[in-house]
Amino acid sequence: MSYTIAEIAKALGAKALGDGAISVTALAEPADAGPDQLALATKPEYAEALPKGRARAALIWEGADWQALGLEAAIVAPRPRYAMSGLTAMMDLGEGWGEGIHPSAVIHESAVLGEGVHVGPLTVIGAGASIGAGTRIGPQVSIGADARIAEGGLIREGARIAARVRIGARVILNPGAVIGGDGFSFVTPEKSGVESVRETLGDQGDAAAQSYVRIHSLGSVRLGDDVEVGANAAIDRGTVRDTVIGDRTKIDTLVMVAHNVVVGTDTLLCGLVGIAGSTRIGNNVVLAGQVGVGDNLFVGDNVIAGGGTKILSNVPAGRVILGYPAMKMDAHIDMYKNLRRLGRLVADVAQLKKSVSKDGQSD
Amino acid sequence: MSYTIAEIAKALGAKALGDGAISVTALAEPADAGPDQLALATKPEYAEALPKGRARAALIWEGADWQALGLEAAIVAPRPRYAMSGLTAMMDLGEGWGEGIHPSAVIHESAVLGEGVHVGPLTVIGAGASIGAGTRIGPQVSIGADARIAEGGLIREGARIAARVRIGARVILNPGAVIGGDGFSFVTPEKSGVESVRETLGDQGDAAAQSYVRIHSLGSVRLGDDVEVGANAAIDRGTVRDTVIGDRTKIDTLVMVAHNVVVGTDTLLCGLVGIAGSTRIGNNVVLAGQVGVGDNLFVGDNVIAGGGTKILSNVPAGRVILGYPAMKMDAHIDMYKNLRRLGRLVADVAQLKKSVSKDGQSD
Amino acid sequence: MSYTIAEIAKALGAKALGDGAISVTALAEPADAGPDQLALATKPEYAEALPKGRARAALIWEGADWQALGLEAAIVAPRPRYAMSGLTAMMDLGEGWGEGIHPSAVIHESAVLGEGVHVGPLTVIGAGASIGAGTRIGPQVSIGADARIAEGGLIREGARIAARVRIGARVILNPGAVIGGDGFSFVTPEKSGVESVRETLGDQGDAAAQSYVRIHSLGSVRLGDDVEVGANAAIDRGTVRDTVIGDRTKIDTLVMVAHNVVVGTDTLLCGLVGIAGSTRIGNNVVLAGQVGVGDNLFVGDNVIAGGGTKILSNVPAGRVILGYPAMKMDAHIDMYKNLRRLGRLVADVAQLKKSVSKDGQSD
């Protein structure tokens, strides 16, 4: 893979400066860059490291003086981070899987594969499954009966797609992702302690200890177009209807989405996020790492939750939240400052009690 | 799959009303229900959506007026959520795996398979393993040497069962579940900083930085009867004895149970729960999503912990807890209310200090 | 496997007492120990259970009176927990995988395997991969194109090693571990609400809702020597450079390490820890279960973070921390005590306000 600076700038819709004929074969951080690599000097503090490397060309910020930086060529993008999308797509080396259907794959005779589908070694495709054109499936993947994957997908090593799952176009599943595990849905013969606690916020009542019986998951999972699911993340089946992930929503590594959850479009669920059963998450939401959302809740559009936030009640649209339990981020920061002064407050009140009781005595 | 309303009511031990000969092929939420689907109108607020769908029959709550709801037939269950267990079992379409032993499975000649066992494509069964009658094993599963699975199990795609694991009857393992990863057990040559911190609650002492050596996991894992383990959940091997999960305990997606842990019977561990090494969890416990339990602790019977609770000390039986660190749920709710007023409290104390010092000056 | 007490003591560099010719075949806890098992009576409270079992020999603490404990032989180690490392290594039964290359493995003709490598059934090894001498690879593992594993590794069932990953010597990957999932890196065409929130700590500004485009992960993952990765843990690829795990660092079950993260040497990341993108973790760090670390942070050498700690800002070397957000452990414990008294403080202040206003009235 080799591109000239002029070719790259053209593909990105960016400006080329200097010798556009210089060609590069990879990207690199400034200090590590060799003469045939494009250095990523997108901020002054990154550019400082250019002399440590041997880059002749770099991606720079608007207004940077490429010649003063010692470069022979440069690409200027108004939003360099956005340019990284196109740039990394051009330079992606891929998985090295090759083409075609590997003879060791076990594909049911009733499965339908579109044009240009790649199926890796030791992958299993069940009865009635259908795979859209151009989808690339890695080694040791499972695709269940009657599952449907639209065109242009990338399904990596050991991903699991259960029976009847529906997957949109251009979806990426990372290694070990599970789409369609069982919903965690159980019921006791009589009212349980948990049901009492939910009503009373703390009292189990006199519920007898009981065993749970399983509510089977009859629903499946639907992923919209351009969804990405991280390594070892898991999205469970719905009970009666499907669990649904909206178009262009991105789900990170080790995220858990429970049964019946509906996630909107253009939403980010970061690493180790957990969303409990039947909760609805809006569009353009961002839940940072290790956020948890209780069951049967509603999180509105454009909500942003900071790392570790535990959401135990509904969140209106547009709110920025943090903490356990979640509160508005600015209120949380104020509260936390006060918390750090709590020792002094306790001392102040003790002192005041002494003063006031002395005052009282002097009455 | 098609059942009449009369057949379903009989199977559930419930009452059929209206035309018991109407037959249905699936369940549906009221608004989505077609004429051959049984609507789940188990509460007045769900029943409101019946006119949006085309259901002729529904599961309704005791005392509902099925004719006023526009139905031709109904099933009445005293606890409709409990009826869902039997109902969903009848309607479960299964995984579509077919029957028998797939020729691509790699089964050691010394493994013993009971009657009616299904083994999916590309599954590996190790030396000396034994599989109980009627157990259904999906594609690409690993079963280690000398592992034992009792009858009636369901082992889904890519589940991993390590050497010497013992699994009871009717156990369900979801895709990617790992039973028998290595315990996370390491030791330094000299006393470590962590050992000092545990003693002093905060002081590392002057422990030198050291490297860890591994303590091998010689124990395995035992799962009782009717245990369910969620997608990509992981239960680690014990060090000397086994890690143990009691009968009828249900473990959700992405839960982590560490080495030597003993979990009792009829317990629920919800999504992303983590239980550290050598901790004991009682019977009929419920740990909600993302709860964490420290190592070498004891959580008594019938404890209920709300979402995100971090348990850093022992919990007596019957307690309902919440928070980080865990406290009684009602105390936590009170504390949290006070926390939200903390800013005002700080202002009040500042004002009081001013008043009192003025009073003092006027003495 | 059978060793005499004398042999074991010699291998451990420990002292043998009593009849060194007694042989044992396994380890056991005192109450469970049979006559051919070595009981682990490493503390007085463990030794109490010796009479419940039938052990003839035990591992005991320095200064214990082996004869008074009713033993015929004993091994004395100055640090018994450390002795467990060698002892469990001697007694490890292994995975029972056998030797050699299983004929069902799919190994690319250009892959290079060192001497004594074991490859389990249905494992896939991609083009240009190289496997060091003596490495043992279990069933159903994926090894991507151009991946490199050094000598003496143990790669368990269904682990996933992506293209171009570099793995050091004697590394252990547990079942389902994923090395080289995609980095979670996306960008919006214009400045996003999250970017505003980061600058303002709470205000999204007027960012329009946008869709994300993907930044491809061109980097890979490098694991040092003697690294261990737990079951279903996942380490994501870097964006331009590699994600790096230092020598002898141990990563537990279901841990998530994001793109570009650099973890030092001799560090422990316990169960369900999550480390967000581009963060650096020092040497000899311990992050207990469910700790989270935000992106682009720095955690210094020798930091110890208690269970559930959420690290939202840089942490200097040597600090012992706890809480959400993280603070010094001793300060957290003080604060928590004050928090539990908060109700009384509120009541005190209310009482003081009454007293002072009365005083005021009496002026």
Side-chain angles (χ1 to χ4, degrees), chain A residues 18-31:
Chain A
D19 182 359
I22 289 178
S23 72
V24 292
T25 60
L27 307 183
E29 300 199 353

PDB file of all heavy atoms in Angstrom, chain A residues 18-31:
ATOM      1  N   GLY A  18       3.700  21.578  -0.494  1.00  0.00           N
ATOM      2  CA  GLY A  18       5.036  21.057  -0.765  1.00  0.00           C
ATOM      3  C   GLY A  18       5.018  20.012  -1.860  1.00  0.00           C
ATOM      4  O   GLY A  18       4.190  20.060  -2.780  1.00  0.00           O
ATOM      5  N   ASP A  19       5.893  19.009  -1.743  1.00  0.00           N
ATOM      6  CA  ASP A  19       6.120  18.021  -2.790  1.00  0.00           C
ATOM      7  C   ASP A  19       5.065  16.910  -2.741  1.00  0.00           C
ATOM      8  O   ASP A  19       5.226  15.911  -2.042  1.00  0.00           O
ATOM      9  CB  ASP A  19       7.536  17.441  -2.609  1.00  0.00           C
ATOM     10  CG  ASP A  19       7.869  16.419  -3.696  1.00  0.00           C
ATOM     11  OD1 ASP A  19       6.996  16.151  -4.560  1.00  0.00           O
ATOM     12  OD2 ASP A  19       8.988  15.888  -3.660  1.00  0.00           O
ATOM     13  N   GLY A  20       4.010  17.095  -3.519  1.00  0.00           N
ATOM     14  CA  GLY A  20       2.890  16.149  -3.508  1.00  0.00           C
ATOM     15  C   GLY A  20       3.250  14.791  -4.057  1.00  0.00           C
ATOM     16  O   GLY A  20       2.471  13.840  -3.935  1.00  0.00           O
ATOM     17  N   ALA A  21       4.420  14.643  -4.641  1.00  0.00           N
ATOM     18  CA  ALA A  21       4.809  13.360  -5.236  1.00  0.00           C
ATOM     19  C   ALA A  21       5.473  12.411  -4.243  1.00  0.00           C
ATOM     20  O   ALA A  21       5.690  11.238  -4.542  1.00  0.00           O
ATOM     21  CB  ALA A  21       5.755  13.606  -6.408  1.00  0.00           C
ATOM     22  N   ILE A  22       5.780  12.920  -3.054  1.00  0.00           N
ATOM     23  CA  ILE A  22       6.354  12.036  -2.027  1.00  0.00           C
ATOM     24  C   ILE A  22       5.343  10.953  -1.712  1.00  0.00           C
ATOM     25  O   ILE A  22       4.152  11.237  -1.532  1.00  0.00           O
ATOM     26  CB  ILE A  22       6.695  12.844  -0.754  1.00  0.00           C
ATOM     27  CG1 ILE A  22       7.902  13.735  -1.029  1.00  0.00           C
ATOM     28  CG2 ILE A  22       6.925  11.936   0.444  1.00  0.00           C
ATOM     29  CD1 ILE A  22       8.291  14.612   0.141  1.00  0.00           C
ATOM     30  N   SER A  23       5.793   9.712  -1.631  1.00  0.00           N
ATOM     31  CA  SER A  23       4.803   8.672  -1.323  1.00  0.00           C
ATOM     32  C   SER A  23       5.078   8.040   0.038  1.00  0.00           C
ATOM     33  O   SER A  23       6.215   7.966   0.504  1.00  0.00           O
ATOM     34  CB  SER A  23       4.751   7.625  -2.431  1.00  0.00           C
ATOM     35  OG  SER A  23       5.906   6.854  -2.382  1.00  0.00           O
ATOM     36  N   VAL A  24       3.992   7.629   0.677  1.00  0.00           N
ATOM     37  CA  VAL A  24       4.068   7.036   2.024  1.00  0.00           C
ATOM     38  C   VAL A  24       3.318   5.716   2.024  1.00  0.00           C
ATOM     39  O   VAL A  24       2.399   5.489   1.237  1.00  0.00           O
ATOM     40  CB  VAL A  24       3.471   7.975   3.093  1.00  0.00           C
ATOM     41  CG1 VAL A  24       4.346   9.215   3.274  1.00  0.00           C
ATOM     42  CG2 VAL A  24       2.045   8.361   2.764  1.00  0.00           C
ATOM     43  N   THR A  25       3.714   4.851   2.957  1.00  0.00           N
ATOM     44  CA  THR A  25       3.123   3.504   2.988  1.00  0.00           C
ATOM     45  C   THR A  25       2.373   3.233   4.295  1.00  0.00           C
ATOM     46  O   THR A  25       1.737   2.195   4.433  1.00  0.00           O
ATOM     47  CB  THR A  25       4.231   2.441   2.852  1.00  0.00           C
ATOM     48  OG1 THR A  25       5.131   2.622   3.960  1.00  0.00           O
ATOM     49  CG2 THR A  25       5.005   2.591   1.555  1.00  0.00           C
ATOM     50  N   ALA A  26       2.496   4.155   5.246  1.00  0.00           N
ATOM     51  CA  ALA A  26       1.840   3.914   6.538  1.00  0.00           C
ATOM     52  C   ALA A  26       1.763   5.225   7.304  1.00  0.00           C
ATOM     53  O   ALA A  26       2.374   6.223   6.906  1.00  0.00           O
ATOM     54  CB  ALA A  26       2.620   2.877   7.356  1.00  0.00           C
ATOM     55  N   LEU A  27       1.016   5.202   8.415  1.00  0.00           N
ATOM     56  CA  LEU A  27       0.956   6.342   9.322  1.00  0.00           C
ATOM     57  C   LEU A  27       1.880   6.078  10.500  1.00  0.00           C
ATOM     58  O   LEU A  27       2.164   4.928  10.824  1.00  0.00           O
ATOM     59  CB  LEU A  27      -0.465   6.536   9.845  1.00  0.00           C
ATOM     60  CG  LEU A  27      -1.564   6.642   8.785  1.00  0.00           C
ATOM     61  CD1 LEU A  27      -2.907   6.916   9.464  1.00  0.00           C
ATOM     62  CD2 LEU A  27      -1.234   7.732   7.783  1.00  0.00           C
ATOM     63  N   ALA A  28       2.317   7.159  11.160  1.00  0.00           N
ATOM     64  CA  ALA A  28       3.151   6.962  12.345  1.00  0.00           C
ATOM     65  C   ALA A  28       3.049   8.182  13.252  1.00  0.00           C
ATOM     66  O   ALA A  28       2.727   9.280  12.795  1.00  0.00           O
ATOM     67  CB  ALA A  28       4.600   6.731  11.961  1.00  0.00           C
ATOM     68  N   GLU A  29       3.307   7.996  14.522  1.00  0.00           N
ATOM     69  CA  GLU A  29       3.433   9.143  15.406  1.00  0.00           C
ATOM     70  C   GLU A  29       4.764   9.830  15.082  1.00  0.00           C
ATOM     71  O   GLU A  29       5.719   9.175  14.640  1.00  0.00           O
ATOM     72  CB  GLU A  29       3.344   8.673  16.860  1.00  0.00           C
ATOM     73  CG  GLU A  29       1.987   7.988  17.062  1.00  0.00           C
ATOM     74  CD  GLU A  29       1.545   7.863  18.497  1.00  0.00           C
ATOM     75  OE1 GLU A  29       2.326   8.186  19.417  1.00  0.00           O
ATOM     76  OE2 GLU A  29       0.397   7.451  18.694  1.00  0.00           O
ATOM     77  N   PRO A  30       4.822  11.162  15.274  1.00  0.00           N
ATOM     78  CA  PRO A  30       5.992  11.928  14.802  1.00  0.00           C
ATOM     79  C   PRO A  30       7.335  11.334  15.222  1.00  0.00           C
ATOM     80  O   PRO A  30       8.245  11.211  14.389  1.00  0.00           O
ATOM     81  CB  PRO A  30       5.759  13.307  15.421  1.00  0.00           C
ATOM     82  CG  PRO A  30       4.257  13.432  15.429  1.00  0.00           C
ATOM     83  CD  PRO A  30       3.766  12.055  15.790  1.00  0.00           C
ATOM     84  N   ALA A  31       7.483  10.934  16.470  1.00  0.00           N
ATOM     85  CA  ALA A  31       8.792  10.461  16.939  1.00  0.00           C
ATOM     86  C   ALA A  31       9.190   9.135  16.309  1.00  0.00           C
ATOM     87  O   ALA A  31      10.367   8.800  16.235  1.00  0.00           O
ATOM     88  CB  ALA A  31       8.775  10.320  18.465  1.00  0.00           C
TER      89      ALA A  31
END
